[in-house]
Amino acid sequence: MSKSVLADLLRFIAANEELPRALARYKGHTRDTLGKLLTAAADRLEQADEAAAAAAPTGTRGMKVRKGSEVEKAAARAAEELQDSMELSKAERDQKRRERSAAAAEERQAVQAEVVARPVRTRLFTDGAARGNPGPAGAGAVIISPDGHIVAKVGKFLGEETNNVAEYMGLLIGLKRAKAMGIKELDVLADSELMVKQLNGDYAVKAEHLKPLFDEAKALLKHFGDVEIRHIPREENEQADAMSNRAIDERL
C-alpha cells in the first residue's frame, strides 16, 4: 500500500469509524482523541514522504542510500500497530510484536555482516566543533588508506559558527581533499547524526543556512564512483575531532 493511500485510509477511519475495540483497548481516550491521533499519523506519513522527496539523492553514482528512511519505517510501524490494536487480540498483538522485533534484529545483523564482509577501502573521517554554538568554530577531516595509514589531515578555522555548520564544513573540506587525491571509492564517517541522516535522505534539510552546504556536499559526492556515508560514535572519531579543535586553537 502506498504511503499516500495509507494516509487517506487513516483519515477515512478518523472521520467515519467508531473504533470500539480501540476505545476498549485504550481506556481514558475519547473517540475524538483517537480521531485526532489518526489524523496526526496521516500528517506524519505525508511529511515523511515530502522529506524523503526533498532530500533524495539525484544522480549520485554509487552512493548507497537505505531503501526506506527511519522516519518512513517508524510511520509504517505505527500504522501497523494501530491497525493491530483494532483487529487483533492481545495475544495476537504480542505475537506480532515479537515477530517484528525478531525481523528487526535480523535486519541489523545482516547490515553488520555486510559491513564486516566488505573489503576495507579508503575512509574519510570528518568532524566540526563550535565553542559556544555559535562560537569560535573549526572543521577537521582525516583520510585513512585501506591499509590503515593516514594519508591526509585537513583543518580549517571558520570564525563564529554553529556546530551544524562546522560539521558540514568538515565534510566539505574532506571531500575536496579526497577528490583532489583522485580517490574513487570512499567510506565517509561522521559522528553528526543530523548531517548523516540528511545526506542519506532520512531527514529533510529545514535550516536555510544549511541548504547551500548540503547542496555542495551532494555535488561533491557525485565525483566518487562508489561512496557510502555512515554515522559513527564520537569516540571513534577522535582524529577528526582533534583536527577541528586544532583549527580553532591555531586559527588554521
Side-chain angles (χ1 to χ4, degrees):
M1 182 182 297
S2 70
K3 289 186 286 295
S4 59
V5 173
L6 181 55
D8 287 342
L9 175 59
L10 288 172
R11 287 200 173 91
F12 178 84
I13 294 172
N16 298 284
E17 299 295 332
E18 293 301 322
L19 307 177
R21 296 188 66 175
L23 287 168
R25 172 67 176 82
Y26 297 99
K27 298 185 184 301
H29 291 282
T30 66
R31 174 61 186 78
D32 183 59
T33 300
L34 291 181
K36 289 178 179 178
L37 288 172
L38 286 165
T39 301
D43 291 341
R44 289 293 298 275
L45 280 172
E46 291 184 343
Q47 289 168 5
D49 209 7
E50 291 170 0
T58 54
T60 302
R61 291 184 302 121
M63 183 173 175
K64 294 181 176 62
V65 179
R66 291 185 291 277
K67 291 181 180 179
S69 75
E70 297 303 319
V71 175
E72 291 170 329
K73 289 179 181 178
R77 284 196 300 270
E80 183 178 356
E81 290 173 2
L82 180 61
Q83 185 175 0
D84 289 348
S85 72
M86 294 186 289
E87 297 180 355
L88 304 178
S89 67
K90 184 179 185 301
E92 291 170 326
R93 289 197 303 273
D94 289 343
Q95 177 62 28
K96 290 201 70 173
R97 190 176 297 111
R98 288 192 292 268
E99 291 172 356
R100 283 194 291 265
S101 296
E106 289 179 4
E107 182 180 355
R108 287 193 298 270
Q109 290 174 357
V111 171
Q112 292 171 354
E114 180 184 353
V115 171
V116 171
R118 188 181 59 206
V120 176
R121 56 186 183 180
T122 302
R123 288 163 291 163
L124 167 62
F125 292 84
T126 77
D127 202 5
R131 298 172 185 172
N133 196 31
V142 176
I143 299 175
I144 299 180
S145 66
D147 57 7
H149 292 102
I150 296 175
V151 294
K153 286 186 175 183
V154 194
K156 183 177 181 179
F157 178 62
L158 306 174
E160 295 282 319
E161 285 294 354
T162 65
N163 273 322
N164 289 336
V165 168
E167 295 280 4
Y168 263 102
M169 289 301 300
L171 173 66
L172 293 177
I173 64 174
L175 289 175
K176 289 175 181 177
R177 177 59 64 89
K179 176 187 173 186
M181 294 171 66
I183 296 170
K184 299 300 181 184
E185 295 184 352
L186 188 66
D187 285 336
V188 179
L189 308 168
D191 59 48
S192 170
E193 185 175 10
L194 173 71
M195 182 181 73
V196 170
K197 288 197 171 186
Q198 286 176 339
L199 290 165
N200 279 331
D202 294 331
Y203 291 168
V205 183
K206 296 181 180 179
E208 290 296 328
H209 69 288
L210 293 182
K211 288 181 179 178
L213 302 176
F214 171 85
D215 291 339
E216 185 177 358
K218 297 293 278 189
L220 282 167
L221 288 166
K222 293 179 182 179
H223 291 280
F224 299 92
D226 191 2
V227 61
E228 183 171 358
I229 305 167
R230 298 202 307 273
H231 175 260
I232 58 173
R234 185 173 298 277
E235 56 268 22
E236 295 180 17
N237 205 26
E238 292 180 352
Q239 294 186 85
D241 175 67
M243 282 303 302
S244 62
N245 280 285
R246 178 185 168 191
I248 300 174
D249 294 334
E250 302 181 11
R251 300 299 195 261
L252 296 178

